[in-house]
Coordinates of all heavy atoms in Angstrom, one line a residue:
Chain A
M1054 N 6.4 106.4 76.1 CA 5.0 106.3 76.6 C 4.6 107.5 77.4 O 5.3 107.8 78.4 CB 4.9 105.0 77.4 CG 3.6 104.7 78.0 SD 2.5 104.0 76.8 CE 3.3 102.4 76.5
R1056 N 2.2 109.5 79.9 CA 1.1 109.2 80.9 C 0.6 110.6 81.4 O 1.1 111.2 82.2 CB 1.7 108.5 82.1 CG 1.6 107.0 82.0 CD 1.6 106.4 83.4 NE 3.0 106.4 83.9 CZ 3.3 106.1 85.2 NH1 2.3 105.8 86.0 NH2 4.5 106.0 85.6
K1119 N -43.4 103.0 69.3 CA -42.8 103.9 70.3 C -43.4 105.3 70.2 O -42.7 106.3 69.9 CB -41.3 103.9 70.1 CG -40.6 102.6 70.5 CD -39.1 102.6 70.4 CE -38.6 101.3 70.9 NZ -37.1 101.2 70.6
K1180 N -33.6 88.2 51.4 CA -32.5 89.0 51.8 C -31.4 88.1 52.4 O -30.2 88.2 52.1 CB -32.9 90.1 52.8 CG -31.8 91.0 53.3 CD -32.1 91.6 54.6 CE -32.2 90.5 55.7 NZ -32.6 91.0 57.0
R1235 N -42.3 103.6 55.8 CA -43.4 102.6 55.8 C -44.8 103.4 55.9 O -44.8 104.5 56.2 CB -43.2 101.7 57.0 CG -42.8 102.5 58.3 CD -43.9 102.5 59.3 NE -43.5 103.3 60.4 CZ -43.7 103.0 61.7 NH1 -44.2 101.8 61.9 NH2 -43.3 103.7 62.6
L1255 N -38.3 106.0 58.6 CA -37.7 105.3 59.7 C -36.4 105.9 60.1 O -35.8 106.8 59.5 CB -37.4 103.8 59.2 CG -38.8 103.1 58.9 CD1 -38.6 101.9 58.0 CD2 -39.4 102.7 60.2
K1378 N -21.0 114.3 98.4 CA -19.9 115.3 98.6 C -20.4 116.7 98.3 O -20.1 117.6 99.0 CB -18.7 115.0 97.7 CG -17.9 113.9 98.1 CD -16.8 113.5 97.1 CE -16.3 112.1 97.4 NZ -15.6 111.5 96.3
K1447 N -28.3 113.1 121.4 CA -27.4 114.0 120.7 C -27.8 115.5 120.8 O -29.0 115.9 120.6 CB -27.3 113.7 119.2 CG -26.3 114.5 118.5 CD -26.0 113.9 117.1 CE -24.9 114.6 116.4 NZ -25.3 115.9 115.9
Chain B
rG566 P 5.8 102.1 75.4 OP1 4.8 102.2 76.4 OP2 6.3 103.3 74.6 O5' 7.1 101.3 75.9 C5' 7.0 100.7 77.2 C4' 8.4 100.3 77.6 O4' 9.3 100.2 76.4 C3' 9.1 101.3 78.5 O3' 9.2 100.7 79.8 C2' 10.5 101.6 77.9 O2' 11.5 101.2 78.8 C1' 10.6 100.6 76.8 N9 11.3 100.9 75.5 C8 11.2 101.9 74.6 N7 11.9 101.7 73.5 C5 12.5 100.5 73.8 C6 13.5 99.8 73.0 O6 13.9 100.1 71.9 N1 13.9 98.6 73.6 C2 13.5 98.2 74.8 N2 14.0 97.1 75.3 N3 12.6 98.9 75.6 C4 12.2 100.0 75.0
rC567 P 8.4 100.9 80.9 OP1 8.8 100.0 81.9 OP2 7.0 101.0 80.4 O5' 8.8 102.4 81.3 C5' 9.8 102.6 82.3 C4' 9.8 104.0 82.7 O4' 10.3 104.9 81.6 C3' 8.4 104.6 83.0 O3' 8.0 104.3 84.3 C2' 8.6 106.1 82.8 O2' 9.0 106.7 84.0 C1' 9.6 106.1 81.7 N1 9.0 106.5 80.4 C2 8.8 107.8 80.1 O2 9.1 108.6 81.0 N3 8.2 108.1 78.9 C4 7.9 107.2 78.1 N4 7.4 107.6 76.9 C5 8.2 105.8 78.3 C6 8.7 105.5 79.5
rC568 P 6.6 104.2 84.7 OP1 5.9 105.0 83.7 OP2 6.5 104.7 86.1 O5' 6.2 102.7 84.5 C5' 6.4 101.7 85.5 C4' 5.5 100.6 85.1 O4' 4.3 101.2 84.8 C3' 6.0 99.8 83.9 O3' 6.0 98.4 84.2 C2' 4.9 100.0 82.9 O2' 4.5 98.8 82.3 C1' 3.7 100.5 83.7 N1 2.8 101.4 83.0 C2 1.6 100.9 82.5 O2 1.5 99.6 82.6 N3 0.7 101.7 81.9 C4 0.9 103.0 81.8 N4 0.0 103.7 81.3 C5 2.1 103.6 82.4 C6 3.0 102.8 83.0
rU574 P -13.5 108.6 96.0 OP1 -14.2 109.7 96.8 OP2 -12.2 108.1 96.5 O5' -14.5 107.4 95.8 C5' -15.8 107.7 95.4 C4' -16.5 106.4 95.0 O4' -15.6 105.8 93.9 C3' -16.5 105.3 96.0 O3' -17.6 105.5 96.9 C2' -16.7 104.1 95.2 O2' -18.0 104.0 94.6 C1' -15.7 104.4 94.0 N1 -14.4 103.8 94.3 C2 -14.2 102.5 94.1 O2 -15.2 101.7 93.7 N3 -13.0 102.0 94.3 C4 -11.9 102.7 94.7 O4 -10.8 102.1 94.9 C5 -12.1 104.1 94.9 C6 -13.3 104.6 94.7
rC583 P -17.3 117.1 118.9 OP1 -17.6 118.5 119.4 OP2 -16.2 116.3 119.3 O5' -18.7 116.3 119.1 C5' -18.7 114.9 119.3 C4' -20.1 114.4 119.3 O4' -20.7 115.0 120.5 C3' -20.9 114.9 118.1 O3' -21.4 113.8 117.5 C2' -22.0 115.7 118.7 O2' -23.3 115.3 118.2 C1' -22.0 115.4 120.2 N1 -22.4 116.5 121.1 C2 -23.7 116.3 121.7 O2 -24.3 115.3 121.5 N3 -24.1 117.3 122.5 C4 -23.4 118.4 122.7 N4 -23.8 119.2 123.6 C5 -22.1 118.5 122.1 C6 -21.7 117.6 121.3
rG619 P -29.6 95.2 69.1 OP1 -30.6 96.2 69.3 OP2 -29.8 93.8 69.5 O5' -29.2 95.1 67.5 C5' -29.0 96.3 66.8 C4' -28.5 96.0 65.4 O4' -27.3 95.2 65.5 C3' -29.4 95.1 64.6 O3' -30.4 95.8 64.0 C2' -28.4 94.5 63.6 O2' -28.1 95.5 62.6 C1' -27.2 94.3 64.4 N9 -27.1 92.9 65.0 C8 -27.4 92.5 66.2 N7 -27.2 91.2 66.4 C5 -26.8 90.8 65.1 C6 -26.5 89.5 64.6 O6 -26.5 88.4 65.3 N1 -26.1 89.5 63.3 C2 -26.1 90.6 62.5 N2 -25.7 90.4 61.2 N3 -26.4 91.8 62.9 C4 -26.7 91.8 64.2
rC620 P -31.8 95.1 63.7 OP1 -32.7 96.1 63.1 OP2 -32.3 94.3 64.8 O5' -31.4 94.1 62.5 C5' -31.3 94.5 61.2 C4' -30.9 93.4 60.3 O4' -29.7 92.7 60.9 C3' -31.8 92.2 60.2 O3' -32.9 92.5 59.3 C2' -31.0 91.1 59.7 O2' -30.7 91.2 58.4 C1' -29.7 91.3 60.5 N1 -29.7 90.5 61.7 C2 -29.3 89.2 61.6 O2 -29.0 88.7 60.5 N3 -29.3 88.4 62.7 C4 -29.7 88.9 63.9 N4 -29.7 88.1 64.9 C5 -30.1 90.3 64.1 C6 -30.1 91.0 63.0
rC623 P -41.8 100.2 61.4 OP1 -43.2 100.1 61.3 OP2 -41.1 101.3 60.8 O5' -41.4 100.1 62.9 C5' -40.1 100.6 63.2 C4' -40.1 101.1 64.7 O4' -39.7 100.0 65.5 C3' -39.1 102.2 64.9 O3' -39.6 103.4 64.6 C2' -39.0 102.0 66.4 O2' -40.0 102.6 67.1 C1' -39.0 100.5 66.6 N1 -37.7 99.8 66.6 C2 -37.0 99.7 67.9 O2 -37.6 100.2 68.9 N3 -35.8 99.1 67.9 C4 -35.2 98.7 66.8 N4 -34.1 98.1 66.9 C5 -35.9 98.8 65.6 C6 -37.1 99.4 65.5

Side-chain angles (χ1 to χ4, degrees):
Chain A
M1054 182 78 66
R1056 265 204 285 168
K1119 290 186 177 168
K1180 184 203 64 187
R1235 44 109 181 225
L1255 293 161
K1378 285 174 197 162
K1447 185 168 185 285

